Each structure stands twice: as structure tokens, then as C-alpha cells.
Amino acid sequence: MATATLARQIGSAIIKATNSTSLGGWFSPHMAAASRAIADRIPLVDLVLEVRDARIPLSSAFKQMENYTSSSKRIIVMNKVDLASPSELKEWMKYFEQNNCISYGVNAHNKESIKQFLNFLQARVKELNNVDHSSFTATILLLGIPNVGKSALANSLHRIGRICAAEKGRLKHATVSPQPGETKDISSLKIGSHPNIYVLDTPGVLPPQIHDVEICTKLALTGSIIDCFAGKKELAQCFLAVLNRSDKYKKWANLSNSENDRTLIDHSLEYSHSSEDMKRKRQHRADHTQDFIVQDVRQTLFKMISSFDGAMEDEMLIEEEIKALQRAFQVPLESKKNTQHKVEAKLLNLFRTGRLGHYTLDSIPIKL
């Protein structure tokens, strides 16, 4: 199977790269120091929020938490629920409940989701302290592997908490980056008053080594491991293999061709406009997140998969999809390597931002 083969190749490449002294691996001295700082703080805080990626609820687990057994103190926060399969997310929530783990699903970029989560946290804090007055101060430790959205979650809780408390003043915020490993220090942000609640945002930490090739692949696909360890080409191929064996593409069967028609009209009229107009149009088409570009990508993938005569995971299909996506993304022909690299980067971005369907890559463990 192409998916399994690609996953093994990517995972093996990552393990090899992390063991290479020349590449330095991902467990830098900074990450080692952060790991020690987090371990020192866990016994001192009131609650620990272990943030995971809802697309990989097990693969994104924070291994350091395995040494702490206090179930009442830890909450597994499934962030990026907007990118995961809704039906499978419900099953994962049931799984955690059955295993006596407190869990909560949240979208760090959705105001209503954050409001509900903040109310949940305030209720948990009051339960833990079990006092009538509101003069105490609680501290919540936010931890997890890189790029699961810890800083985005901390900022959103801080923003909503300050607004709800009607507190004024300049908002201190944590640094948010799409690249894993960008948070360097532990920062404290206030998220509630009466009682006072502070959240500690920590750097993302991975174990020094991960020996499971499947976990490595899933972490790389979702962006928790930087692409250079696996390669954009291999990751893009792996995503296409996942898409080809799913039924996500069937939802794109009834997409209208009107957007494509409009794009063709724009192209034909391009020569009747000024050079400045032409430049703006080229820039507009270069932005692969535009709705009409995304729609063209979906149409292209639907046509390729539904008309393919052969195994859904065949490498030939993946190769043809990459070629067709060059036209859908309107990437200008350069050298073959540069053109493919741009197509692969745009494809991965659309997958990671949920524009090409909602996926849950982890399967719930089967009880023996």
C-alpha cells in the first residue's frame, strides 16, 4: 500500500535525520532546558493543560506527562478541532472519558469556543480550591509538543479573559508562529479575575528520540516536526495517498465550473488592462488560499481520483495529481524541481489549514 510505504519511508528518514550529529536533531539544548523547566513547574501549578492536535490525539501526546499520574490535575485539550473529522473527534472524546482522562475540544481561533473553554476552566479552578471567596490566585500550566497551538490558545484565553473581566491596559501576548519550536521562554498571561487565573505558556518539547515511524510521519504531516527532516515532496505525496483512499474527495463532485469560467475570462481580458492591473492579477492568482484557486484544486483532485483506473493508492495516480495541481495552482513553469516544490508547499498548506477536508490520522486503540 502506497500510504504505508510512504509513511515508513518518511518516518525512517526522520529517525535517521534526528540521529545525525551534523543535522543536530530536534532536541536542542534549548528544548532540553525547557523540558527541565516544565518538569520543575508541574508539581507547583493548580492545573496542567496538555494541548494535543485533534487530528492526532495519541501521536501528539506529551510524553513527559506519563510520569505524572494525577488525573484530576491534568486536562487533555484537543486543539484544532476545526481541522479534525467531527465524527472521529466524538469517538476520541469517549475514549478519553472511558480511560478516566478529562478532555476538552477547542478551536483556539474561534471566540465562542474560547469563551466556553474559559468558563470550563474557571469552574474547574473553583472546584479544586473548594473555597467560597474569590481572592485566591490559580496557575495553569500549558504544555505540549511543538505546533499544537499552545501560544494561540494562551493568547485567545488572555484576550477573552481580559475582556470579560473588563480589565484595561496593553495586552501582553505570547509569540505565535506556524513553524514548530518558535516559543523560546515560559511566559505568564492573566486569563481571569475573581478568582485570578494565570496561564503559563511553555515552549513545545519533543522527546529526544521517537522510534515509531508512523508517529514521526503523522507529526511531520501536521507540522509538529519541521519539513526539512522529511521533505515536502514526500509529505505531499503522503497526504495525497491519504486523500486517495478516503472519501473526502466525493464531497467535491458537485462543484460549479463558474469559478473556472471566470478565471478564464479574467485571463483573456488581461491584455486589455495596464501593466499595473496585470501585475495585481498575477499576484492575486499566486495566492493559493483564494477561494477560486482552492475550488479549482478540489475539482482537479476529484476528477483525477474518480477517473483513475487502478488502485486508489497507486503511485502513478499521485504523480499525475502533482502534475495536474501545477495547473490548478497556476504555478508558472520553471525548472521541474522548483515548480514541483511550489506545488507541494501549497498543497501541504491547504491540507494543514483544513481547506482540503478534515482528517483524523490516529485510530482509537483496540482493546485486547
Side-chain angles (χ1 to χ4, degrees):
M1 294 173 66
T3 305
T5 302
L6 282 167
R8 284 194 297 270
Q9 290 175 350
I10 292 170
S12 298
I14 292 171
I15 291 172
K16 183 179 179 180
T18 56
N19 290 332
S20 170
T21 54
S22 60
L23 292 175
W26 58 55
F27 200 75
S28 62
H30 160 72
M31 193 173 283
S35 181
R36 291 191 296 270
I38 290 170
D40 290 341
R41 283 168 174 78
I42 288 176
L44 306 176
V45 298
D46 296 281
L47 284 176
V48 174
L49 302 186
E50 183 194 343
V51 185
R52 300 189 186 184
D53 189 322
R55 296 169 294 180
I56 46 173
L58 279 190
S59 297
S60 59
F62 191 73
K63 296 301 181 183
Q64 215 169 328
M65 283 304 295
E66 293 178 353
N67 300 324
Y68 300 91
T69 58
S70 177
S71 59
S72 62
K73 190 173 182 176
R74 181 184 69 161
I75 300 171
I76 296 174
V77 181
M78 305 267 277
N79 191 26
K80 304 187 181 185
V81 295
D82 54 311
L83 305 180
S85 165
S87 59
E88 292 184 66
L89 178 64
K90 290 180 181 177
E91 295 303 313
W92 273 106
M93 300 296 279
K94 290 180 184 177
Y95 168 81
F96 286 125
E97 183 180 358
Q98 291 168 356
N99 285 273
N100 299 316
C101 295
I102 303 169
S103 64
Y104 196 100
V106 68
N107 174 2
H109 299 289
N110 182 279
K111 185 183 293 186
E112 192 57 38
S113 178
I114 291 297
K115 282 183 179 178
Q116 294 175 6
F117 184 46
L118 183 57
N119 290 336
F120 167 79
L121 290 177
Q122 289 172 328
R124 291 292 303 171
V125 167
K126 290 176 181 178
E127 288 174 9
L128 288 174
N129 283 273
N130 195 27
V131 293
D132 295 328
H133 58 82
S134 58
S135 60
F136 62 86
T137 296
T139 306
I140 298 175
L141 186 64
L142 205 63
L143 49 74
I145 66 172
N147 211 30
V148 290
K150 296 184 303 299
S151 295
L153 184 59
N155 285 337
S156 296
L157 286 169
H158 175 55
R159 190 177 300 112
I160 297 297
R162 292 289 293 269
I163 292 172
C164 293
E167 292 187 11
K168 298 181 180 179
R170 185 176 179 182
L171 290 178
K172 177 185 176 184
H173 64 278
T175 302
V176 179
S177 171
Q179 294 299 322
E182 287 299 310
T183 302
K184 302 299 183 186
D185 301 303
I186 296 177
S187 58
S188 175
L189 301 172
K190 189 174 184 180
I191 66 170
S193 300
H194 310 297
N196 293 315
I197 305 175
Y198 290 84
V199 65
L200 300 179
D201 180 37
T202 64
V205 175
L206 286 165
Q209 290 183 320
I210 300 176
H211 301 289
D212 190 310
V213 292
E214 283 194 24
I215 289 178
C216 285
T217 301
K218 292 170 185 176
L219 292 176
L221 263 179
T222 53
S224 288
I225 295 175
I226 55 177
D227 292 342
C228 68
F229 283 117
K232 277 188 169 61
K233 176 183 177 181
E234 290 75 14
L235 290 173
Q237 289 176 338
C238 191
F239 162 65
L240 287 174
V242 171
L243 171 65
N244 294 343
R245 67 183 176 89
S246 75
D247 60 356
K248 307 290 184 184
Y249 72 96
K250 295 179 181 178
K251 297 179 181 179
W252 306 330
N254 299 321
L255 288 176
S256 169
N257 286 316
S258 60
E259 291 291 342
N260 284 340
D261 295 339
R262 183 176 63 77
T263 304
L264 290 172
I265 292 171
D266 285 348
H267 181 72
S268 64
L269 291 176
E270 190 174 86
Y271 297 99
S272 65
H273 290 74
S274 67
S275 60
E276 190 62 31
D277 289 336
M278 291 170 64
K279 182 179 179 181
R280 282 198 295 268
K281 285 181 179 294
R282 285 194 295 269
Q283 290 173 339
H284 184 66
R285 289 198 303 271
D287 181 3
H288 65 280
T289 64
Q290 294 289 322
D291 288 343
F292 74 93
I293 294 288
V294 175
Q295 181 160 317
D296 203 7
V297 170
R298 291 170 178 170
Q299 287 177 325
T300 299
L301 289 170
F302 171 77
K303 291 174 183 176
M304 295 292 296
I305 299 171
S306 58
S307 62
F308 185 70
D309 183 18
M312 282 293 96
E313 298 175 304
D314 196 284
E315 292 179 6
M316 184 184 299
L317 172 59
I318 294 173
E319 186 177 333
E320 292 302 313
E321 285 172 320
I322 294 291
K323 292 179 182 177
L325 287 171
Q326 181 263 320
R327 296 187 294 272
F329 281 123
Q330 302 186 30
V331 175
L333 284 171
E334 301 172 4
S335 67
K336 182 179 179 181
K337 185 176 181 180
N338 286 343
T339 299
Q340 285 190 349
H341 180 78
K342 290 181 178 179
V343 170
E344 291 152 4
K346 291 174 186 288
L347 179 66
L348 280 175
N349 176 261
L350 291 187
F351 157 63
R352 288 169 176 169
T353 53
R355 303 297 297 277
L356 296 179
H358 301 161
Y359 300 84
T360 300
L361 303 178
D362 277 343
S363 299
I364 294 177
I366 300 173
K367 292 184 178 180
L368 299 177

